[in-house]
């Protein structure tokens, strides 16, 4: 690493820490409860939705809340904690080596997790996760499957689904989405080549759709390199309208979904990690009014109904429903509108904040 890069990183970390100290000073005299979130990653994905966004949402409900960037090292974390004087610390996952109750931060810790990280083989992660789950005053789990694992280690484990801010503005009608060509069928998994079983499932569906004479364009997301593009082209050699979009920011991702006719969310549980998936990219589909076809795994069936989406593990039913939706923009409009109406109640950031607020306040009253 060059000296210039080291200096820039130091200045960035210093700026982050100064901002947190300034926030602590501005709110020093308030009697609002205080919570610090410690995301495991950058301001994207689960770290964005369950740490940064949640801190902002709780601030609107009467908390003094902030998210501590993952690049702050242990001494800076300790300084921020002393000055901020939080009532509760929230560790968003334990993938960050410093999200570990063994480091004895001195404040009650809540573990927040929305992936089945107990199946990962990252050195030290499972031990850190179990240790933190056991020592935490509570666990907020992104799905029932994850809650059940943590309930073995913590008696106070609750399901709180990941919520997202709902964007403003109109969404295109589904007739307009195919005005420039066949409707787009999308699998919005960020790293599709890493999900071998799910990718095989999608390949089989595409072959069957083409055999049925369906007209559509297939879209993948998160394709970062030419090597990845070559691998996908080799898997779909006879598909002329294969779209491979590069990694992008979340706002751009949501905007791109305005072009999509049908969104796929397959989960094949031969990969144990997949059993713990939360709603993930389904949140983007809902925001963009994209009809969803999902596996009957995770908590999909707890949210979707017959009118708001398709939840099934029957491959033939997947094929029938995709064909029906691709061929009927009015049907897509009806399903997407019904799902969008249910979206704020269960999967918005406000819905998640209400549950998180109640969970954390209950901890304060029982301490």
């Amino acid at each position: 690493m060059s000296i210039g890069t080291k200096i820039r990183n130091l200045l960035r970390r210093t700026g982050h820490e100064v901002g947190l100290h300034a926030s602590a000073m501005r709110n020093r005299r308030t009697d609002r409860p205080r919570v610090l979130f410690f995301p495991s990653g950058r301001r994207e994905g689960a770290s964005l939705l369950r740490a940064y966004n949640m801190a902002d949402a709780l601030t609107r409900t009467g908390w003094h809340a902030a998210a501590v960037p993952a690049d702050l090292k242990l001494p800076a974390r300790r300084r921020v904690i002393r000055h901020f004087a939080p009532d509760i610390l929230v560790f968003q996952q334990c993938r960050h080596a410093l999200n570990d109750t063994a480091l004895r931060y001195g404040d009650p810790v809540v573990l927040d997790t929305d992936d089945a990280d107990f199946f990962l083989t990252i050195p030290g992660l499972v031990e850190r996760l179990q240790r933190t789950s056991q020592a935490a005053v509570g666990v907020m789990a992104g799905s029932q499957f994850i809650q059940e694992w943590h309930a073995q280690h913590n008696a106070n484990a609750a399901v709180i689904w990941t919520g997202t801010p709902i964007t403003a503005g109109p969404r295109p009608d589904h007739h307009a989405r195919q005005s420039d060509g066949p409707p787009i069928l999308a699998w919005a998994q960020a790293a599709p080549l890493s999900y071998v079983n799910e990718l095989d499932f999608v390949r089989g569906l595409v072959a069957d759709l083409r055999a049925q004479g369906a007209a559509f364009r297939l879209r993948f997301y998160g394709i970062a390199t030419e090597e990845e593009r070559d691998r996908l082209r080799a898997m779909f050699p006879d598909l002329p309208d294969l779209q491979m979009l590069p990694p992008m920011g979340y706002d751009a991702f949501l905007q791109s979904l305005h072009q999509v006719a049908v969104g796929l969310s397959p989960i094949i549980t031969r990969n144990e990690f997949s059993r713990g998936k939360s709603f993930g990219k389904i949140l983007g589909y809902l925001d963009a009014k994209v009809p969803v076809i999902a596996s009957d795994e995770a908590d999909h069936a707890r949210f979707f109904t017959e009118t708001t989406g398709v939840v099934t593990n029957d491959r033939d039913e997947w094929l029938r429903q995709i064909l029906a939706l691709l061929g009927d923009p009015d049907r897509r409009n009806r399903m997407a509108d019904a799902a969008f109406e249910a979206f704020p109640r269960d999967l918005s950031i406000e819905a998640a904040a209400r549950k998180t607020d109640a969970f954390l306040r209950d901890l304060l009253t029982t301490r």
Side-chain angles (χ1 to χ4, degrees):
M1 184 183 297
S2 69
I3 293 176
T5 300
K6 290 181 179 179
I7 292 173
R8 284 192 295 273
N9 289 342
L10 176 61
L11 291 174
R12 185 182 64 253
R13 290 196 300 270
T14 301
H16 290 159
E17 183 179 351
V18 168
L20 289 164
H21 286 302
S23 175
M25 286 292 292
R26 287 194 301 271
N27 292 275
R28 196 68 174 174
R29 298 182 183 277
T30 68
D31 59 358
R32 293 185 295 166
R34 298 164 179 265
V35 57
L36 277 177
F37 286 81
F38 291 84
S40 276
R42 294 180 296 178
R43 199 181 180 107
E44 61 186 20
S47 291
L48 172 64
L49 295 172
R50 295 184 72 96
Y52 285 99
N53 285 354
M54 185 55 65
D56 291 341
L58 289 182
T59 297
R60 295 191 291 272
T61 67
W63 287 78
H64 179 204
V68 179
D71 60 357
L72 261 63
K73 299 184 182 298
L74 185 59
R77 282 185 168 214
R78 295 196 187 280
R79 288 193 296 269
V80 168
I81 290 170
R82 282 198 304 270
H83 195 188
F84 199 93
D87 297 294
I88 294 175
L89 309 178
V90 178
F91 290 170
Q92 185 268 320
Q93 298 182 325
C94 289
R95 295 181 189 182
H96 195 300
L98 299 182
N99 285 1
D100 187 345
T101 50
L103 294 173
R104 302 186 184 280
Y105 289 97
D107 294 278
V109 168
V110 168
L111 174 61
D112 178 76
T113 176
D114 71 330
D115 275 320
D117 286 356
F118 37 87
F119 287 127
L120 296 180
T121 57
I122 299 171
L125 175 59
V126 176
E127 294 80 5
R128 184 163 63 247
L129 183 67
Q130 181 171 330
R131 179 168 63 241
T132 300
S133 181
Q134 291 170 337
V137 295
V139 176
M140 300 184 294
S143 70
Q144 189 68 39
F145 180 76
I146 295 170
Q147 186 275 339
E148 289 171 359
W149 188 89
H150 284 281
Q152 302 172 77
H153 308 290
N154 192 303
N156 188 25
V159 176
I160 299 179
W161 288 343
T162 302
T164 187
I166 300 176
T167 59
R171 279 70 169 166
D173 175 90
H174 274 270
H175 289 272
R177 296 186 191 212
Q178 59 189 69
S179 61
D180 64 342
I184 296 173
L185 180 68
W187 181 30
Q189 176 60 49
L193 289 164
S194 300
Y195 289 80
V196 177
N197 296 322
E198 287 83 357
L199 184 56
D200 284 345
F201 180 78
V202 172
R203 289 176 68 186
L205 281 175
V206 168
D208 288 346
L209 288 168
R210 287 177 60 77
Q212 295 272 356
F216 63 95
R217 291 170 285 178
L218 180 64
R219 175 180 290 184
F220 289 96
Y221 282 83
I223 310 305
T225 66
E226 191 60 38
E227 178 189 359
E228 291 174 342
R229 286 187 281 274
D230 288 342
R231 288 173 62 189
L232 277 178
R233 290 190 193 102
M235 293 178 187
F236 300 93
D238 301 322
L239 200 62
D241 291 320
L242 180 62
Q243 299 182 358
M244 297 174 284
L245 274 59
M248 62 185 71
Y250 195 67
D251 289 344
F253 166 68
L254 291 179
Q255 192 64 35
S256 75
L257 289 175
H258 286 187
Q259 305 162 349
V260 172
V262 179
L264 307 180
S265 187
I267 294 178
I268 309 300
T269 56
R270 289 197 299 273
N271 176 357
E272 290 278 64
F273 180 78
S274 293
R275 297 178 66 193
K277 299 296 285 184
S278 61
F279 286 91
K281 295 302 186 291
I282 286 178
L283 298 173
Y285 292 150
L286 293 171
D287 188 275
K289 288 194 174 182
V290 175
V292 177
I293 301 182
S295 298
D296 190 3
E297 304 292 347
D299 286 0
H300 294 162
R302 296 172 185 265
F303 171 74
F304 288 107
T305 67
E306 290 182 358
T307 60
T308 60
V310 178
V311 177
T312 180
N313 287 338
D314 184 334
R315 188 176 177 282
D316 291 337
E317 185 64 11
W318 272 69
L319 183 62
R320 284 192 293 270
Q321 292 289 347
I322 292 171
L323 286 167
L325 287 166
L326 288 175
D328 190 345
D330 290 325
R331 181 173 181 158
R332 299 202 303 266
N333 279 326
R334 288 193 300 272
M335 183 174 287
D337 287 344
F340 191 77
E341 186 175 341
F343 184 18
R345 182 193 64 226
D346 292 324
L347 291 172
S348 65
I349 186 63
E350 290 79 13
R354 284 193 298 272
K355 293 181 178 180
T356 302
D357 174 64
F359 186 83
L360 297 180
R361 286 184 188 273
D362 184 62
L363 291 174
L364 294 181
T365 60
T366 56
R367 279 174 56 189

